[in-house]
Amino acid sequence: MNSEVLTIKLLDLVEGRETPETWQNWWDEHEAELETLLGRQDFLKLKPRRHGFQWVPVFGSQKGAIAILEKSGIAFEASNLYQERYLAELDVFCKEQERVQREKQAKFKADNPEMFRRYPKFSKALAKVLDTSDEIKPAATEEQIGNQESVLDFTLPSQVREFFLLTAGIQASTGVILSLSGMFDLTIHGERYCMLGEFWKEADGDQLLLRPGEETIWYYAHEQDKVKRLCNDMTELLEKKLARYLNEQ
C-alpha cells in the first residue's frame, strides 16, 4: 500500500462511503502495513475501537482520518452519517434500557405490596431509581434470621428483624445496600458493632452499623474514620434518611 491508496480510503471513510463491516475488514487486512505507513500516533488515531455499538468504531476512525487529512492539507467534505447512525443506535439502546427498568420497577411494586404498605416513602423512592442491575431479595424466614443472629452472636433490633422479614436484602447501585447474609461483626475504636449494610451518603463504601441492645442506626464515615449517630431506628432510616437520599439521585 502507498500513500495515494491510503488517501483514497481515508476520503471514503471521512465522506461516509464506508460501513462498519467494510471498514473493519479493510483495517484487519492492512493493519500491519498501516502502522508502518502512518506512524504510531496517527495509527492509533485511525484504529477502530472494539465496542458493543456497531457504529462507534467507524465513527471514531472517521475522527482520526479527518485529523490525518487535515494535517496533509487534503480537502474533503466530512459526512455526518456515522454520527447519525451511532446516535440512532444509542437512542434504541437507551429506550430498551428504560423499558427494562420500567418493567423491573413494576415487578418490584407488584411483588412487594407489604413493603409499600410498611415503608411507603422508601419503597416509592427506591422504585424510581431501580436499575436493571439492582437486586431485591425475597423475604427472609425467621429461621434464617435466627441462624444469622447465632453466627454473629448478636440479637437484631426488632425493627431490623421486621425489615428482613419483608426482604432479605436490597442492593441499589445508587449506594444503598442492606443485606442479612452480608452482616458481620466488627470493632471500631474499641466499640463493638454489627454491619447492617452500606449507605454512600458521604462516600462510597460508608457503612450502616448497629450496636448491641439498641435500635439506633450508626454511620461509619470511613474517610474520616468516624462513627456518627444517624437516626433512632430502622423505620427512620428507611422512611427519612434513605428515602430522601434516593429521591435526590
Side-chain angles (χ1 to χ4, degrees), residues 127-156:
K128 290 178 184 177
V129 301
L130 270 183
D131 189 65
T132 53
S133 62
D134 294 342
E135 182 181 13
I136 311 294
K137 293 183 179 179
T141 63
E142 288 281 5
E143 182 181 7
Q144 288 171 326
I145 294 173
N147 288 341
Q148 185 69 324
E149 287 179 322
S150 297
V151 169
L152 296 169
D153 189 24
F154 189 98
T155 301
L156 296 181

Side-chain angles (χ1 to χ4, degrees), residues 1 29 36 43 46 49 99 103 117 126-127 135 149 159 164 170 175 181 200-201 213 231 239:
M1 182 188 299
E29 184 179 350
T36 302
F43 171 82
L46 192 62
R49 306 298 184 208
R99 183 192 65 78
E103 287 184 357
R117 188 194 68 78
L126 180 60
E135 182 181 13
E149 287 179 322
Q159 291 192 15
F164 284 133
I170 290 173
S181 62
W200 301 353
K201 177 173 172 283
C231 55
E239 287 292 270

Side-chain angles (χ1 to χ4, degrees), residues 49-63:
R49 306 298 184 208
R50 300 291 180 181
H51 198 279
F53 287 176
Q54 181 184 16
W55 288 90
V56 167
V58 68
F59 179 39
S61 290
Q62 183 193 33
K63 294 178 181 178

Side-chain angles (χ1 to χ4, degrees), residues 151-196:
V151 169
L152 296 169
D153 189 24
F154 189 98
T155 301
L156 296 181
S158 59
Q159 291 192 15
V160 174
R161 290 179 64 88
E162 290 173 9
F163 173 77
F164 284 133
L165 287 170
L166 295 177
T167 173
I170 290 173
Q171 181 164 333
S173 52
T174 48
V176 174
I177 301 171
L178 300 165
S179 173
L180 176 63
S181 62
M183 297 181 75
F184 59 86
D185 199 49
L186 74 165
T187 301
I188 302 175
H189 305 314
E191 190 83 33
R192 185 193 178 200
Y193 296 93
C194 183
M195 204 217 45
L196 173 63

Side-chain angles (χ1 to χ4, degrees), residues 10-33:
L10 293 181
L11 286 169
D12 284 343
L13 175 62
V14 168
E15 295 179 347
R17 292 186 289 275
E18 294 290 335
T19 68
E21 294 78 15
T22 61
W23 174 246
Q24 187 65 57
N25 290 339
W26 183 85
W27 178 270
D28 291 342
E29 184 179 350
H30 299 286
E31 183 172 1
E33 301 172 71

